[in-house]
Amino acid sequence: MSNSIESFMKRVIEKNPGESEFHQAVKEVLDSLESVLEQHPEYADAKILERIVEPERQIIFRIPWQDDKGNIHVNRGFRIEFNSALGPYKGGLRFHPSVYIGIIKFLGFEQIFKNSLTGLSMGGGKGGSDFSPKGKSDNEVMRFCQSFMTELFRHIGPDTDVPAGDIGVGGREIGFMFGQYKKLRNEFTGVLTGKGLAYGGSLVRTEATGYGLIYFVTRMLEDRATGWKGKKVSISGSGNVAIYAAQKAIELGAKVITMSDSNGFIVDQKGICLETVKRIKELERGRIREYTNEHKSAIFKERFQDVWSVPCDIALPCATQNEIDQNAAQALVKNGCIAVGEGANMPSTPEAIEIFLNEGVSFGPAKAANAGGVATSGLEMSQNSIRLSWTFEEVDKRLKTIMDNIYDQCVITAEKYGKKNNLMAGANIAGFLKVADAMLAQGIV
Ligand code: NDP
């Protein structure tokens, strides 16, 4: 890292104390930008870096709600409107007890570049709460979502800021929040994406992040002159991204052998039966260990982090940030893993990424590899604007084209800036350039 980038990073840490995930996300992008900044002194003159790491607006609010017994709880809500150079703020809402400002800022920062890579008109934002929907009744979740939206509605809108789902926020939560927004504003607009099909949602949005990940990794595999057929695939998580990544990988001939949740992971060397997982997780809202009650070929192990010690050809982390550390990366390499595609946001630590890049493992970074979700959200916004719904095939085709374009941008940009085969550098640079140029064009705002 050059001295100027190092001192810049020091200032970011001083200005945003205690936000380690945010520091990590900023450093990853800065590390890729050295030669870009040398070739484009106009970015330094216009203080693009200083402006891009400072959110345009940060909203923190109180969310009081009542449980089924009448007890009152108070959670904290966030919406970080990070950058609107390319379009309305766009990014998901995360409901998880670990949520604090540093998590939302790391996610919002990443979202700026991810959205830029999709080629659609979307700025970057992210939000959420330290509320956990796990173990709550539908009525409790509804009351929480209504209280959350009772504050958030005044800050968002179809041309201002369009939230979507993330960890802990699926179709049920989006529905409750949409209902409250509609009531408070007295208008029916595409203010949230990930909506139900009956009220403005898009086909393929549910599958989009997982499918998009597989389309991206397909290109990585093609560059190694191979494909999915017969490959052993290890997946972490068993939520939205994990389930639909597994579905597409299986459809293309792979065998998915692991899935996990925060309690542990299952291994089924016969190949995981996705129907069982979908029923347990999507319908019954149960735990992944229940899979072993029905499939005797499977075992359950505690400590979800150990999922990466299971030998596989391809690893798809689809749970949470920093789930692949140095030890996990070493285990994957030792066991012959040839490709890692990040479905989750920032699932690999910097040390793990270095190992993958040095050991010749194809590495698909989250910003690019999991951009299919927000890209399809962008397609949902388009359909809402023209008040038409496209078919499954049409949306899927557009998603695939977008993922192919993202892959090409990463490869071409990495090579252009002297980082051949480094998709992470390619994604960071390509995402940054478009935003930086838009910021330059729009003046000091
Ligand atoms: P879900 O809530 O549907 O599923 C999350 C899964 O990961 C669950 O199995 C959950 O287990 C597990 N998990 C979550 N947090 C932890 C943790 N701290 N430790 C261990 N396991 C954990 O979320 P999504 O599938 O939507 O999101 C997964 C990842 O993908 C996140 O990083 C998200 O930011 C990213 N992503 C999601 C997109 C989307 O469209 N949904 C788009 C782009 C990225 P448990 O049930 O036990 O909590």
Side-chain angles (χ1 to χ4, degrees):
M1 213 188 338
S2 73
N3 284 346
S4 60
I5 292 192
E6 203 167 334
S7 59
F8 179 83
M9 196 59 228
K10 212 167 140 223
R11 287 200 300 280
V12 169
I13 294 170
E14 278 165 11
K15 214 170 169 188
N16 303 274
E19 300 173 4
S20 59
E21 296 85 358
F22 178 54
H23 307 157
Q24 185 181 333
V26 172
K27 184 166 183 305
E28 186 207 289
V29 172
L30 288 185
D31 281 346
S32 301
L33 293 182
E34 213 162 321
S35 61
V36 177
L37 298 172
E38 274 166 27
Q39 290 181 41
H40 295 279
E42 67 273 23
Y43 295 149
D45 294 343
K47 293 276 188 289
I48 293 293
L49 283 189
E50 285 79 352
R51 286 154 63 189
I52 219 164
V53 297
E54 191 66 28
E56 289 175 16
R57 194 172 298 109
Q58 307 187 50
I59 303 147
I60 304 181
F61 51 100
R62 180 176 69 192
I63 315 163
W65 60 279
Q66 259 183 317
D67 66 22
D68 290 343
K69 296 194 177 97
N71 298 316
I72 296 167
H73 302 264
V74 180
N75 285 95
R76 184 170 286 180
F78 303 90
R79 186 72 187 167
I80 305 291
E81 297 181 333
F82 225 119
N83 192 298
S84 61
L86 298 184
Y89 309 105
K90 182 89 196 85
L93 298 169
R94 176 176 292 191
F95 291 170
H96 193 272
S98 63
V99 163
Y100 77 108
I101 190 89
I103 295 268
I104 302 298
K105 274 167 72 175
F106 116 64
L107 290 164
F109 184 72
E110 293 246 306
Q111 199 79 45
I112 303 170
F113 309 102
K114 182 187 306 192
N115 295 2
S116 162
L117 285 170
T118 66
L120 303 173
S121 174
M122 298 184 290
K126 200 84 188 187
S129 171
D130 55 1
F131 170 79
S132 172
K134 229 183 287 174
K136 307 288 191 303
S137 71
D138 286 349
N139 278 332
E140 287 172 332
V141 171
M142 180 180 75
R143 285 193 291 274
F144 173 82
C145 288
Q146 289 175 341
S147 183
F148 184 84
M149 190 50 83
T150 300
E151 173 58 34
L152 191 67
F153 86 99
R154 68 192 85 241
H155 308 289
I156 62 175
D159 296 317
T160 313
D161 183 354
V162 185
D166 191 82
I167 291 177
V169 178
R172 174 181 62 170
E173 290 76 15
I174 292 288
F176 292 146
M177 286 189 274
F178 181 79
Q180 185 72 353
Y181 181 88
K182 182 167 64 70
K183 179 171 175 151
L184 292 168
R185 284 264 191 212
N186 192 27
E187 64 183 33
F188 192 112
T189 52
V191 69
L192 291 156
T193 56
K195 299 185 289 295
L197 293 178
Y199 62 94
S202 172
L203 286 160
V204 194
R205 177 60 189 92
T206 307
E207 296 85 354
T209 309
Y211 278 23
L213 172 66
I214 300 301
Y215 296 150
F216 191 89
V217 176
T218 300
R219 296 290 306 274
M220 290 162 50
L221 295 176
E222 281 170 6
D223 278 353
R224 300 180 74 109
T226 188
W228 291 95
K229 248 195 170 55
K231 295 285 189 309
K232 281 190 174 186
V233 179
S234 207
I235 295 183
S236 65
S238 48
N240 174 263
V241 180
I243 285 177
Y244 292 96
Q247 182 163 301
K248 188 52 93 179
I250 292 168
E251 197 183 303
L252 295 176
K255 197 201 280 188
V256 173
I257 54 169
T258 73
M259 290 185 92
S260 68
D261 61 24
S262 53
N263 295 117
F265 65 98
I266 53 165
V267 187
D268 189 343
Q269 292 291 353
K270 276 177 118 175
I272 281 177
C273 169
L274 204 59
E275 287 318 303
T276 308
V277 175
K278 282 174 96 167
R279 197 195 67 240
I280 293 170
K281 301 303 288 192
E282 292 183 342
L283 290 179
E284 298 164 4
R285 296 185 188 276
R287 309 303 300 160
I288 199 72
R289 73 182 320 152
E290 293 163 30
Y291 180 93
T292 56
N293 299 339
E294 296 171 48
H295 296 273
K296 296 302 165 203
S297 52
I299 52 166
F300 173 79
K301 290 192 176 178
E302 284 174 2
R303 273 188 53 85
F304 70 90
Q305 301 92 332
D306 291 345
V307 67
W308 308 118
S309 64
V310 178
C312 65
D313 301 307
I314 298 162
L316 303 177
C318 296
T320 194
Q321 62 275 356
N322 292 328
E323 53 170 307
I324 300 187
D325 61 9
Q326 191 172 353
N327 290 338
Q330 275 160 351
L332 284 166
V333 170
K334 187 171 141 264
N335 289 327
C337 175
I338 59 165
V340 176
E342 295 190 320
N345 283 310
M346 210 167 74
S348 313
T349 64
E351 297 76 22
I353 295 173
E354 206 178 316
I355 291 171
F356 295 143
L357 296 178
N358 289 340
E359 299 290 338
V361 175
S362 300
F363 177 69
K367 268 183 207 83
N370 75 23
V374 73
T376 309
S377 277
L379 300 179
E380 183 173 330
M381 289 162 74
S382 304
Q383 293 169 80
N384 291 162
S385 294
I386 57 173
R387 298 191 192 281
L388 283 176
S389 299
W390 297 329
T391 62
F392 190 97
E393 289 69 29
E394 167 129 36
V395 182
D396 192 34
K397 198 166 142 215
R398 285 175 190 262
L399 167 64
K400 189 158 184 313
T401 305
I402 291 170
M403 297 313 294
D404 277 338
N405 286 340
I406 294 175
Y407 188 80
D408 292 337
Q409 281 182 72
C410 293
V411 171
I412 292 165
T413 313
E415 187 157 0
K416 184 169 171 200
Y417 285 91
K419 306 254 186 186
K420 195 167 181 226
N421 295 329
N422 184 336
L423 297 175
M424 178 181 73
N428 286 336
I429 297 170
F432 172 82
L433 286 173
K434 208 179 297 165
V435 181
D437 288 341
M439 289 173 75
L440 276 184
Q442 291 168 21
I444 306 164
V445 287

